[in-house]
Amino acid sequence: MQKSGSSSSLGPGGLDLTQAFFRQIQRAAPPSPTKRHTKISVVGAGNVGMAIAQTILTQDVADELVLIDAKADKLRGEMLDLQHAAAFLPRTKIHASVDYELTFGSDLCIVTAGARQVPGESRLNLLHRNVALFKTIIPPLARYSPETILLIVSNPVDVLTYVAWKLSGFPSNRVIGSGTNLDSSRFRFLIADHLDVNAQDVQAYIVGEHGDSSVALWSSISVGGVPVLSFLEKQQIAYEKVTLEKIHKEVIDSAYEVISLKGYTSWAIGYSVANLARSILRDQRKVHPVSVVANGFYGIEGGDVFLSLPAQLGRGGVLGVTNVHLTDEEAHRLRDSAQTILEVQNQLGI
């Protein structure tokens, strides 16, 4: 499929009407070459990819949005559907193609493509199929946009972020997994719901694997600047650890519940990834729990491993990892989570 996108040309001769509609003012200078043009490419036009694209458009994160997918007809349909909403959206040029050349010069490449698990298939076999798929995705992205930042959303996100890092040859700060950014949002929502406060006033992180071995950092949770657990202890308010574990389990089970009800997740991950894109491209230097190279943090050893830690994000990608205090139990669970991921990675031979 050839490149598809917006055009100012009309009529059988392809007449460019721009010059006819607008006249230059006198003594005007040409547009400044320093003006930043932000380009995002999204690979995978499925439910997740399109939710991300739609949210990026409504939040005015990019000047240009490129959609890449193997299914040409569906891809063109999605592009046209978004273009037809142009009157209601910030101005963004939208293109679509099966050819990765269209991603040339992207500031951020978001990868959502992944193989679907078939009935009876093992998670390891599914992972091997996704690795094979990534071998067709990551190298062309790196070739056409050698200075881009890769943001991996496909699952299992921690292992596939490691795979993308290896295949791209990029420095580790420019390869990021969406990780537990959404898990932490679910965590904040559940805590806010229990305390009847706004989730934006809750500071709470889920770290480690985006999966069953994730770790809830209860020791550092605060609401409105007040550390929750230490406040309860000072006020001699009793709480049971099983209650805390139940909330964490709700976080882990949240995606499964949504999938069982509607067949897939899309909107929450769309907002989560658009939020990450904004922090990166607008150099907001916000802290997000995302999947990064974790070697050397909290005693994590044994090889290169990506898992989620609270990291500061900006125009250079990962600017650093925050020095969040962990209890001995939390640090131990985090190391166990890292080992879980490493055991899977070691079976890939990459």
Side-chain angles (χ1 to χ4, degrees):
M1 184 175 77
Q2 298 296 315
K3 166 185 168 181
S4 299
S6 305
S7 174
S8 60
S9 299
L10 294 174
L15 177 65
D16 186 347
L17 298 181
T18 305
Q19 298 301 320
F21 271 104
F22 301 100
R23 295 175 58 189
Q24 290 290 326
I25 61 173
Q26 295 182 18
R27 292 182 291 277
S32 170
T34 59
K35 183 182 182 300
R36 186 79 198 179
H37 177 86
T38 304
K39 180 176 180 178
I40 297 177
S41 292
V42 177
V43 180
N47 295 317
V48 171
M50 293 314 301
I52 292 170
Q54 188 266 351
T55 312
I56 284 172
L57 288 173
T58 57
Q59 295 189 0
D60 196 16
V61 178
D63 299 298
E64 184 176 359
L65 178 66
V66 173
L67 305 175
I68 299 290
D69 198 275
K71 298 178 180 178
D73 289 344
K74 181 180 188 302
L75 186 62
R76 178 167 173 77
E78 294 286 10
M79 179 199 70
L80 291 172
D81 209 6
L82 290 176
Q83 287 179 342
H84 295 167
F88 317 114
L89 293 169
R91 185 174 185 268
T92 302
K93 290 186 177 180
I94 305 168
H95 306 290
S97 179
V98 298
D99 188 347
Y100 283 84
E101 187 176 1
L102 194 58
T103 65
F104 178 84
S106 294
D107 298 286
L108 180 66
C109 292
I110 302 171
V111 181
T112 72
R116 288 179 178 270
Q117 191 168 17
V118 298
E121 183 179 27
S122 69
R123 293 180 67 182
L124 182 60
N125 190 69
L126 174 63
L127 179 56
H128 276 292
R129 290 202 294 126
N130 274 318
V131 170
L133 180 63
F134 265 47
K135 288 179 179 178
T136 70
I137 293 173
I138 303 301
L141 290 178
R143 182 168 66 253
Y144 289 118
S145 302
E147 301 302 318
T148 195
I149 293 170
L150 293 175
L151 178 53
I152 309 303
V153 183
S154 311
N155 281 316
V157 68
D158 302 295
V159 176
L160 289 179
T161 303
Y162 167 81
V163 171
W165 176 52
K166 286 292 188 180
L167 292 174
S168 68
F170 284 1
S172 60
N173 61 295
R174 290 201 285 119
V175 183
I176 305 166
S178 56
T180 58
N181 194 54
L182 177 52
D183 305 63
S184 296
S185 174
R186 290 167 173 150
F187 193 34
R188 292 168 66 186
F189 160 73
L190 290 170
I191 293 169
D193 196 44
H194 274 73
L195 299 178
D196 195 23
V197 297
N198 192 308
Q200 293 185 359
D201 291 324
V202 178
Q203 186 84 1
Y205 294 121
I206 299 286
V207 298
E209 179 198 16
H210 171 58
D212 295 345
S213 74
S214 65
V215 183
L217 300 186
W218 288 103
S219 64
S220 60
I221 290 175
S222 65
V223 176
V226 179
V228 173
L229 294 192
S230 61
F231 173 79
L232 294 177
E233 290 169 359
K234 287 178 181 178
Q235 297 296 317
Q236 297 183 339
I237 299 174
Y239 65 90
E240 294 183 356
K241 190 174 180 180
V242 66
T243 303
L244 307 185
E245 293 296 337
K246 183 180 178 182
I247 294 175
H248 182 208
K249 190 175 187 307
E250 281 187 69
V251 172
I252 295 173
D253 293 342
S254 292
Y256 300 128
E257 182 181 9
V258 174
I259 291 170
S260 70
L261 293 170
K262 61 176 275 190
Y264 56 90
T265 62
S266 57
W267 297 119
I269 188 62
Y271 280 103
S272 173
V273 174
N275 188 241
L276 295 176
R278 176 180 288 274
S279 290
I280 293 167
L281 296 178
R282 299 286 173 83
D283 199 32
Q284 292 193 336
R285 297 173 178 261
K286 290 178 66 176
V287 175
H288 296 269
V290 290
S291 195
V292 300
V293 172
N295 306 49
F297 292 102
Y298 305 105
I300 295 173
E301 299 173 347
D304 295 320
V305 62
F306 278 74
L307 53 73
S308 287
L309 294 172
Q312 186 186 46
L313 302 182
R315 205 63 186 75
V318 178
L319 306 181
V321 173
T322 59
N323 190 22
V324 177
H325 172 74
L326 270 61
T327 64
D328 290 342
E329 181 183 359
E330 289 169 344
H332 179 73
R333 288 189 175 190
L334 183 61
R335 289 190 290 271
D336 286 346
S337 187
Q339 190 59 40
T340 298
I341 297 170
L342 275 169
E343 288 173 0
V344 175
Q345 280 182 195
N346 291 338
Q347 299 178 68
L348 297 179
I350 294 181

